[in-house]
C-alpha cells in the first residue's frame, strides 16, 4: 500500500503535497510525512504517527516553503508504526519515499553497517537511502546514474521517488511493480501513486512502467530504462472526475455507503439491461459472444471481500450455467505452480484495481493458456483494468470506508449479470430473463431492509460486548456468512469465523457455548431443512443463536429470529448481505471504533 506524492514547481508545494496525500490516505494511514528543500537549500522533514490530518496540522503550524519535495502515507511492512519508521527516510543528502517491500534488506543492512551507516529505523526504505548514498560517495555519479547502478542490488518491489539535496532541480522516480504516474503541469511537474492525488492540478498524465527511471524537472521529463536508453511513455488525458465525497447526514462513510446501495446497484445495471429482459455488455465489444461460447471453465482470483463475492458466483456459475468454476485467493494463485484447465477463462475482481496480489496473479496467468481474462473493478484507469483483456465496471462510485460494502453488492450484481449472459449463450432455459427481472427488483428490496434498521440495531446492543462470533450458511449463503464475519472482524475487532453450516459437526461445534453467538443465514430454499438441523445441533448445546430468515420455526429460547421479507431466489444472497453489514456497523458503533479507518488496514492493498 503506501501512497507517494512528489512535486517540483514554481510555487510553494506544501498545499499540493498535503492535499494529494489526503487523497492517497486510502493506501495506508499508519503514519505520514513529507520532506522539502527550503529556500536556504536545507532539508525540512516533518513526520507523525496517525492520520494525514495530524501531519497537515503540524505542517501548517510551521509555515514552510519549498518548490521541490516528497510526501508519503505509510502502511507499515518493515518496522512498527512509529515516527522513526515513517517516510521520508534520509541518508545525508539523499531523501527517499518508497512503496513496496525489499526482500534482501537484511543482507544490505548488514553490509551498510560495516560501511559505518547508522540506522535510525527498522524499514527497508532506509536501507535504500543509505545504499544510494554509499554508491554515490563511491562513484561520485549523478543520483540518476547512482540509482541505475543500484537497482540491480535491490530485490523485491521498490517503486520510489528520490531527491538529492545537492541537486534540488530534479525528482527521480523508479517504477517497480507498484504504480507511479507522472502529472504534467506548465512549468511544473508532479508524480504520485495514483492520479486522484493530482487531479485538482492537472488532467495530463504519463504512466510509468516497470523498470522505468524518470528524471522529472520543472520543464522537462526524461524516462530511461535500466540500460540508460530514453524511452517514451504515452501522454494521456484523464476524464476521471474525482468528486470530494462528503459524509452528509451520515456519521461514517461506511454508513453512507451501506445506504447508497440501492442507487449504486441501479448504476451498475444502467444501460446493461435490454427492454426484452436480456443483458448487454456493450463495453466488452463484439468478441464477447464468440469468446464466452468457448468457455468450459471459469477461474476467479481475488482477495478479501472480492474473494467472497467470487465464492458466491461459483455457486451461480455452476448451478445456473453448468460451467465449472474455481475460486482462488490471489496470493495463493500467484505463489504456486499453476496449471490452467482447458478452455478456462480467468476473472479477477478488485475494488481498487491496484490490489498487488490480484495484479500479480493476473500477470502470472498470462504465462498460461487461459482463453482470456476479464476484470470486475470499480476504478477505471487502474492498473488491473489497463492490464486485463476485458473490463466490467461495478460503477459503485467512490468507496471511502475501508470495509467494502457497496463494492461487494455491485460486484455480485455484475457477476449475476455475467451468469445470466453465459446462461443465455449456453441456451439454458430462460434463466437470463428471470435473472434480469429479479435484478430489476433488487434496489427496492434493499431499500426495504434499510428502512428496517431498528431491528438490527437492537441485536447489535445485545452482541457488541461479545469476544467471538460464528457465522454459518449453506450453499451461496456460506460465502455471505464469510462476508458477514469479515465485516465484523474488520471494524469491530471481534473475532468472527464463518463456516459452511454442515461443517460445524466436524470440529467447530466444540466452540459452542452461551457466550459465542452464532449468526445463521437461512432463507427459505432447498437447503432450509438441512440448516434447521444444524440450528438444532447448536441449540441442543446451549448455543446462542440468531437466525436471519424469511421463516420462523419453533425452537428453544436460545434461538432468536430476525425475520426478513421474502426475496426472489437469485438476488437473495445480495439482499441478505445488507443486514449483516448493518450488524457489523452498529456493533462497531456501540464499541466506538474507528469505523471508516480500522486499525492496521488500508483501502487498497498495494503490496504482496
Ligand atoms: N516497506 C516500507 C513501505 C511499505 C509499503 O509500501 N506499504 O504499502 C515500509 O514498511 O515503510
Amino acid at each position: 500500500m503506501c501512497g507517494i506524492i512528489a512535486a517540483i514547481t514554481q510555487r510553494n508545494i506544501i498545499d499540493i503535497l498535503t492535499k494529494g496525500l489526503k487523497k492517497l490516505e486510502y493506501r495506508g494511514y499508519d503514519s505520514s510525512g513529507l520532506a522539502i528543500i527550503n529556500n536556504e537549500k536545507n532539508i525540512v522533514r516533518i513526520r507523525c504517527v496517525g492520520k494525514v490530518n495530524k501531519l497537515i496540522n503540524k505542517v501548517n503550524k510551521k509555515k514552510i516553503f519549498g518548490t521541490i519535495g516528497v510526501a508519503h502515507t505509510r502502511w507499515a511492512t518493515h518496522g512498527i508504526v512509529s515516527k522513526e519508521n515513517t517516510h521520508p527516510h534520509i541518508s545525508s543528502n539523499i531523501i527517499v519515499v518508497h512503496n513496496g517491500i525489499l526482500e534482501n534488506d537484511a543482507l544490505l543492512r548488514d553490509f551498510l553497517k560495516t560501511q559505518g551507516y547508522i540506522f535510525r529505523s527498522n524499514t527497508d526504505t532506509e536501507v535504500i537511502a543509505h545504499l544510494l548514498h554509499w554508491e554515490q560517495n563511491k562513484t561520485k555519479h549523478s543520483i540518476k546514474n547512482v540509482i541505475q547502478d543500484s537497482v540491480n542490488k535491490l530485490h523485491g518491489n521498490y517503486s520510489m521517488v528520490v531527491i538529492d539535496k545537492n541537486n534540488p532541480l530534479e525528482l527521480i522516480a523508479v517504477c517497480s511493480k507498484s504504480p507511479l504516474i507522472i502529472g504534467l503541469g506548465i512549468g511544473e511537474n508532479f508524480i504520485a501513486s495514483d492520479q486522484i492525488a493530482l487531479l485538482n492540478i492537472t488532467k495530463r498524465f504519463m504512466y510509468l512502467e516497470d523498470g522505468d527511471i524518470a528524471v522529472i524537472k520543472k520543464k522537462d521529463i526524461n524516462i530511461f530504462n535500466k540500460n540508460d536508453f530514453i524511452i517514451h511513455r504515452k501522454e494521456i488525458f484523464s476524464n476521471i472526475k474525482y468528486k470530494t465525497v462528503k459524509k452528509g447526514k451520515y456519521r461514517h462513510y461506511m454508513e453512507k455507503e451501506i445506504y447508497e446501495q440501492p442507487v449504486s446497484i441501479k448504476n451498475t445495471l444502467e444501460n446493461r439491461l435490454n427492454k426484452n429482459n436480456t443483458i448487454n455488455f456493450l463495453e466488452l465489444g463484439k468478441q464477447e459472444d464468440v469468446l464466452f461460447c468457448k468457455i468450459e471453465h471459469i477461474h476467479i482470483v481475488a482477495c478479501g471481500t472480492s474473494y467472497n463475492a467470487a465464492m458466491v458466483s461459483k455457486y451461480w456459475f455452476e448451478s445456473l450455467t453448468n460451467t465449472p468454476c474455481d475460486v482462488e485467493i490471489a496470493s495463493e494463485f500467484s505463489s504456486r505452480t499453476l496449471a490452467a484447465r482447458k478452455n478456462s477463462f480467468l476473472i479477477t475482481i478488485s475494488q481498487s484495481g491496484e490490489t498487488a496480489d490480484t495484479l500479480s496473479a493476473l500477470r502470472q496467468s498470462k504465462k498460461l493458456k487461459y482463453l482470456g481474462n476479464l476484470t470486475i473493478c470499480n476504478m477505471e484507469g487502474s492498473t488491473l483494468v489497463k492490464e486485463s483483456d476485458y473490463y466490467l465496471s461495478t460503477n459503485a462510485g467512490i468507496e471511502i470506508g475501508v470495509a467494502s460494502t457497496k463494492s461487494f453488492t455491485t460486484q455480485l450484481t455484475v457477476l449475476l449479470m455475467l451468469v445470466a449472459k453465459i446462461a443465455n449463450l449456453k441456451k439454458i432455459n430462460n434463466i437470463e430473463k428471470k435473472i434480469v427481472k429479479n435484478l430489476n427488483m433488487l434496489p427496492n428490496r434493499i431499500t426495504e431492509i434499510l428502512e428496517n434498521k431498528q431491528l438490527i440495531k437492537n441485536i447489535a446492543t445485545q452482541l457488541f460486548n461479545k469476544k467471538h462470533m460464528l457465522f454459518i450458511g449453506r450453499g451461496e449463503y456460506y460465502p455471505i456468512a464469510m462476508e458477514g464475519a469479515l465485516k465484523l472482524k474488520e471494524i469491530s475487532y471481534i473475532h468472527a469465523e464463518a463456516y459452511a453450516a454442515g461443517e460445524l459437526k466436524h470440529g467447530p461445534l466444540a466452540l459452542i457455548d452461551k457466550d459465542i453467538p452464532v449468526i445463521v443465514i437461512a432463507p427459505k430454499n432447498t437447503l432450509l431443512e438441512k440448516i434447521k438441523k444444524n440450528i438444532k445441533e447448536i441449540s441442543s448445546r446451549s448455543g446462542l443463536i440468531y437466525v436471519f430468515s424469511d421463516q420462523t420455526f419453533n425452537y428453544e429460547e436460545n434461538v432468536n429470529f430476525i425475520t426478513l421479507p421474502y426475496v426472489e431466489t437469485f438476488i437473495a444472497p445480495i439482499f441478505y448481505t445488507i443486514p449483516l453489514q448493518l450488524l457489523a456497523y452498529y456493533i462497531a458503533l456501540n464499541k466506538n471504533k474507528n469505523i471508516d479507518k480500522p486499525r492496521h488496514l488500508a483501502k487498497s492493498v498495494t503490496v504482496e
Side-chain angles (χ1 to χ4, degrees):
M1 314 174 202
C2 287
I4 290 175
I5 174 162
I8 179 156
T9 57
Q10 319 267 3
R11 52 185 158 152
N12 192 6
I13 50 168
I14 297 302
D15 225 36
I16 297 170
L17 295 184
T18 51
K19 283 196 174 125
L21 214 50
K22 190 84 195 105
K23 303 250 167 62
L24 293 174
E25 213 173 7
Y26 74 90
R27 302 175 74 89
Y29 41 76
D30 286 338
S31 62
S32 57
L34 60 77
I36 59 153
I37 311 286
N38 69 7
N39 278 350
E40 287 75 45
K41 301 211 168 8
N42 292 322
I43 299 174
V44 182
R45 174 173 66 173
I46 304 175
R47 301 180 292 174
C48 65
V49 170
K51 312 279 178 306
V52 169
N53 275 345
K54 235 171 123 186
L55 177 78
I56 296 179
N57 289 337
K58 214 168 159 185
V59 169
N60 287 345
K61 279 188 197 135
K62 300 225 159 141
K63 299 210 174 0
I64 49 174
F65 183 95
T67 55
I68 181 166
V70 289
H72 186 271
T73 180
R74 179 170 189 246
W75 185 81
T77 68
H78 286 55
I80 57 164
V81 176
S82 67
K83 187 172 167 189
E84 293 67 37
N85 288 337
T86 301
H87 303 216
H89 289 282
I90 297 178
S91 180
S92 184
N93 53 307
I94 306 290
I95 309 169
V96 181
V97 286
H98 162 222
N99 177 193
I101 295 177
L102 225 56
E103 283 156 12
N104 59 338
D105 61 311
L107 267 179
L108 290 171
R109 180 182 288 262
D110 289 347
F111 166 73
L112 289 161
K113 278 184 184 164
T114 66
Q115 303 299 302
Y117 285 91
I118 296 166
F119 282 82
R120 298 194 159 74
S121 81
N122 295 315
T123 62
D124 43 352
T125 310
E126 193 184 4
V127 171
I128 301 177
H130 289 320
L131 181 73
L132 296 180
H133 181 261
W134 174 79
E135 191 85 34
Q136 192 179 47
N137 243 7
K138 197 175 63 159
T139 60
K140 308 290 177 224
H141 285 166
S142 74
I143 187 64
K144 189 258 293 175
N145 291 341
V146 164
I147 290 173
Q148 273 168 331
D149 296 342
S150 308
V151 284
N152 292 333
K153 299 192 179 81
L154 303 176
H155 300 166
N157 302 349
Y158 45 83
S159 284
M160 61 179 151
V161 179
V162 180
I163 297 177
D164 179 355
K165 177 191 148 194
N166 298 332
N167 179 13
L169 300 175
E170 58 188 32
L171 297 162
I172 315 289
V174 181
C175 183
S176 157
K177 307 259 171 52
S178 302
L180 280 177
I181 181 162
I182 296 175
L184 305 163
I186 300 168
E188 52 185 19
N189 287 307
F190 321 93
I191 182 149
S193 302
D194 185 332
Q195 52 173 292
I196 65 166
L198 302 173
L199 280 174
N200 56 339
I201 36 181
T202 184
K203 297 274 179 227
R204 295 191 301 131
F205 293 102
M206 228 183 241
Y207 277 98
L208 292 185
E209 290 184 14
D210 244 22
D212 289 358
I213 298 179
V215 179
I216 304 166
K217 299 187 180 171
K218 278 183 193 164
K219 294 194 177 155
D220 72 307
I221 291 167
N222 285 303
I223 304 174
F224 300 85
N225 66 12
K226 279 186 197 154
N227 303 324
D228 212 22
F229 290 122
I230 292 224
I231 35 188
H232 293 281
R233 296 288 168 224
K234 209 168 90 201
E235 184 182 323
I236 56 154
F237 185 86
S238 174
N239 290 318
I240 294 178
K241 292 189 183 56
Y242 186 84
K243 289 182 248 125
T244 310
V245 185
K246 299 230 160 70
K247 279 188 284 227
K249 63 179 180 180
Y250 297 97
R251 273 161 297 190
H252 297 95
Y253 283 106
M254 183 180 178
E255 185 186 24
K256 177 170 183 271
E257 287 154 7
I258 290 174
Y259 278 84
E260 268 171 11
Q261 289 176 106
V263 173
S264 310
I265 290 172
K266 271 188 196 151
N267 292 339
T268 311
L269 298 174
E270 201 174 66
N271 299 326
R272 285 167 165 166
L273 304 184
N274 296 323
K275 286 212 176 76
N276 62 351
N277 287 332
T278 55
I279 309 272
N280 78 55
F281 284 130
L282 283 179
E283 61 270 57
L284 294 186
K286 294 207 174 86
Q287 295 305 310
E288 143 205 2
D289 289 5
V290 183
L291 179 74
F292 286 179
C293 282
K294 289 188 197 150
I295 295 175
E296 287 174 25
H297 174 257
I298 291 174
H299 204 161
I300 314 186
V301 181
C303 313
T305 287
S306 304
Y307 173 80
N308 293 340
M311 280 293 290
V312 176
S313 76
K314 172 183 167 69
Y315 290 86
W316 287 335
F317 279 118
E318 298 206 344
S319 63
L320 302 174
T321 76
N322 203 17
T323 312
C325 173
D326 290 308
V327 176
E328 191 156 353
I329 291 170
S331 55
E332 287 298 308
F333 181 99
S334 58
S335 57
R336 70 183 178 89
T337 309
L338 295 159
R341 305 257 184 109
K342 191 170 153 247
N343 290 330
S344 182
F345 187 68
L346 186 92
I347 299 178
T348 59
I349 310 178
S350 160
Q351 188 283 132
S352 66
E354 301 298 342
T355 314
D357 287 326
T358 313
L359 261 168
S360 166
L362 173 68
R363 289 169 184 160
Q364 294 288 336
S365 79
K366 291 184 179 172
K367 297 178 193 146
L368 296 155
K369 285 192 176 145
Y370 283 97
L371 280 178
N373 62 70
L374 173 148
T375 190
I376 296 174
C377 183
N378 197 35
M379 298 306 276
E380 161 194 359
S382 62
T383 314
L384 203 55
V385 170
K386 280 194 286 161
E387 296 190 13
S388 297
D389 299 339
Y390 301 96
Y391 158 51
L392 287 175
S393 168
T394 46
N395 289 339
I398 302 276
E399 188 178 65
I400 304 226
V402 164
S404 285
T405 50
K406 60 179 183 171
S407 287
F408 181 71
T409 50
T410 54
Q411 284 168 354
L412 286 178
T413 305
V414 171
L415 284 160
L416 191 52
M417 282 193 278
L418 197 57
V419 165
K421 180 84 208 161
I422 293 178
N424 170 291
L425 291 168
K426 292 198 164 190
K427 305 204 177 356
I428 299 177
N429 18 315
N430 258 345
I431 287 276
E432 185 183 30
K433 289 199 181 353
K434 289 184 195 148
I435 292 178
V436 172
K437 277 188 194 155
N438 278 206
L439 280 170
N440 272 320
M441 288 185 239
L442 183 58
N444 287 344
R445 306 316 306 266
I446 292 181
T447 305
E448 260 173 70
I449 179 76
L450 289 172
E451 281 167 1
N452 271 317
K453 63 174 182 226
Q454 195 55 42
L455 198 67
I456 312 292
K457 265 184 159 174
N458 296 344
I459 307 164
T461 53
Q462 295 166 28
L463 297 181
F464 78 95
N465 52 13
K466 299 289 178 193
K467 298 261 180 304
H468 310 274
M469 269 164 75
L470 299 182
F471 287 69
I472 62 168
R474 273 184 179 263
E476 61 266 51
Y477 297 92
Y478 164 44
I480 295 300
M482 286 160 60
E483 178 60 10
L486 179 61
K487 282 301 86 110
L488 189 70
K489 278 187 259 215
E490 285 180 300
I491 60 169
S492 74
Y493 316 150
I494 292 176
H495 170 233
E497 293 299 333
Y499 290 100
E503 257 311 276
L504 281 191
K505 56 187 178 295
H506 298 288
L509 212 49
L511 292 171
I512 299 297
D513 68 24
K514 58 183 176 9
D515 288 322
I516 301 193
V518 183
I519 307 291
V520 187
I521 303 123
K524 186 172 187 318
N525 62 18
T526 51
L527 298 170
L528 184 62
E529 290 311 312
K530 285 202 164 176
I531 206 164
K532 277 185 182 175
K533 283 191 212 146
N534 303 130
I535 296 170
K536 273 224 174 294
E537 286 155 11
I538 304 164
S539 89
S540 316
R541 288 162 179 84
S542 309
L544 175 59
I545 302 169
Y546 290 82
V547 184
F548 287 65
S549 181
D550 48 0
Q551 309 285 304
T552 47
F553 1 101
N554 283 336
Y555 274 132
E556 292 76 3
E557 278 171 8
N558 53 350
V559 184
N560 304 281
F561 284 93
I562 297 89
T563 311
L564 302 171
Y566 166 77
V567 177
E568 300 67 23
T569 328
F570 298 125
I571 53 170
I574 309 180
F575 173 84
Y576 273 81
T577 305
I578 314 294
L580 301 184
Q581 293 172 344
L582 288 171
L583 183 66
Y585 176 76
Y586 288 118
I587 288 179
L589 195 65
N590 273 295
K591 295 186 79 168
N592 204 14
K593 295 295 178 205
N594 190 343
I595 292 180
D596 284 332
K597 293 199 173 82
R599 68 183 181 200
H600 311 324
L601 301 181
K603 183 75 189 152
S604 169
V605 187
T606 63
V607 287
E608 279 182 58

